[in-house]
Amino acid sequence: MLVFAGLCFGLPAGALLYGAVTRTDPVAGTTEFTGEHLSRSLQGPYLTSLTGSVQLAALTAALATVLGVLIAQAVVTSRRGALRGAVLTASGVLANFGGIPLAFAFVATLGISGVVTEIGHLDALGWNLYSFTGLTVIYLYFLVPLMVLVVVPALDGLRPQWREAALNTGATARQFWRHVGLPVLAPSLLGGFVLLFGSAFAAHATAAALVGGSVPLVTLKIADALSGNVLVGQENVALALSLDMIVIAGLVMAVYLPLQRRSSRWLR
């Protein structure tokens, strides 16, 4: 497993790091270490795209966390086993539905000439699918089902005896959730938020097919730099942007893993 991880993750990460901190003279062919690429990746439009990706990921993760918890709670408390199975199955499918097919589906339904747009006259209300708001709606399409899958086991772990004990001592349902339910679920909810943030932060294909460069996102900037659509010879800057993403993802995972360990102790 260590050999596999080293080949599939270590070598690409090492090559990315090397390219982000080195510069090759095209005439002499010599290579020297430099911090120019990292510095440029945190300036101007590159910094704007990095900030835009963080904002989009944080917003969609927060909304998906709230909606996913509400749906999961409704499923867990339902007495219909068929409903639970249908919701979890649909969530498993929708959580993995993305990329160009998802973008095409939304263009056909909520685009400028989409079916729902035409029926509801959404264009008169200022609706624009090809914007930050439109991307937020699309990302919720696969983030909410992912949150449902993550939080249902945590809700199942809430023991009925805790609720019964709270009710027997005169606590209301609101007091139970405030003092017992939410504190116990907090690590799982925060861990789910972090997971959704990482998924939205790294998403590329859907945004690339839908908005192109009209919404500043770091994944789109990396693609433009590698392909030379904006400036030629910016491959090392793209590697530096990728390194910035890895650092942010590492910080996210550093928060996620301790939360998961803590929640697993409570919900065994």
Side-chain angles (χ1 to χ4, degrees), residues 122-146:
L122 299 181
D123 51 346
L125 300 176
W127 166 252
N128 181 15
L129 179 64
Y130 314 102
S131 63
F132 185 91
T133 303
L135 272 184
T136 300
V137 174
I138 293 178
Y139 278 30
L140 290 178
Y141 188 83
F142 61 85
L143 291 180
V144 172
L146 179 59

Side-chain angles (χ1 to χ4, degrees), residues 153-234:
L155 291 173
D156 285 334
L158 285 178
R159 295 181 176 85
Q161 295 86 345
W162 296 346
R163 182 188 294 270
E164 295 172 0
L167 296 178
N168 290 336
T169 55
T172 63
R174 181 178 180 180
Q175 290 174 327
F176 166 78
W177 282 108
R178 179 181 177 184
H179 298 287
V180 180
L182 289 179
V184 172
L185 291 175
S188 296
L189 298 182
L190 292 175
F193 170 83
V194 170
L195 181 63
L196 299 184
F197 177 88
S199 299
F201 184 65
H204 167 70
T206 301
L210 194 69
V211 300
S214 60
V215 177
L217 297 177
V218 65
T219 53
L220 304 183
K221 282 294 182 182
I222 291 174
D224 290 339
L226 289 175
S227 60
N229 288 340
V230 181
L231 294 174
V232 180
Q234 297 298 304

Side-chain angles (χ1 to χ4, degrees), residues 108-123 125:
T109 54
L110 292 172
I112 297 177
S113 301
V115 177
V116 177
T117 304
E118 293 290 337
I119 295 176
H121 302 287
L122 299 181
D123 51 346
L125 300 176

